[in-house]
Amino acid sequence: MGQANPKLMASLLKVADGSIVGSLSGIINSLVTISMPIGSVGLVLLDNVVSPAAAYVTGIGMLLVSGGCLFIRR
């Protein structure tokens, strides 16, 4: 996880107490592992139930929102 997203791990190490870093890292890893198939199933379900265009627009919308998050400054 530290190699995949070093900024997340660096900020986690700065903020979290040393005794819970391993637990937090495991929780984040589990969330990432679970969310990928759920998102894929959601888009495929939307494609089959509503329409391919709705799934496409939803996917592009999620891409734009996540891309926009890259430009948010604190």
Side-chain angles (χ1 to χ4, degrees):
M1 181 78 179
Q3 292 176 350
N5 198 344
K7 286 186 179 181
L8 177 65
M9 286 306 291
S11 64
L12 178 68
L13 289 173
K14 287 180 188 175
V15 175
D17 186 37
S19 63
I20 62 168
V21 170
S23 298
L24 284 176
S25 178
I27 289 171
I28 291 171
N29 244 350
S30 297
L31 287 174
V32 168
T33 303
I34 291 169
S35 66
M36 282 191 247
I38 290 174
S40 298
V41 168
L43 284 176
V44 170
L45 186 65
L46 186 64
D47 182 52
N48 289 324
V49 173
V50 179
S51 72
Y56 179 76
V57 169
T58 303
I60 294 297
M62 290 189 306
L63 177 66
L64 290 174
V65 168
S66 60
C69 289
L70 294 173
F71 298 102
I72 295 175
R73 298 223 180 242
R74 282 190 172 187

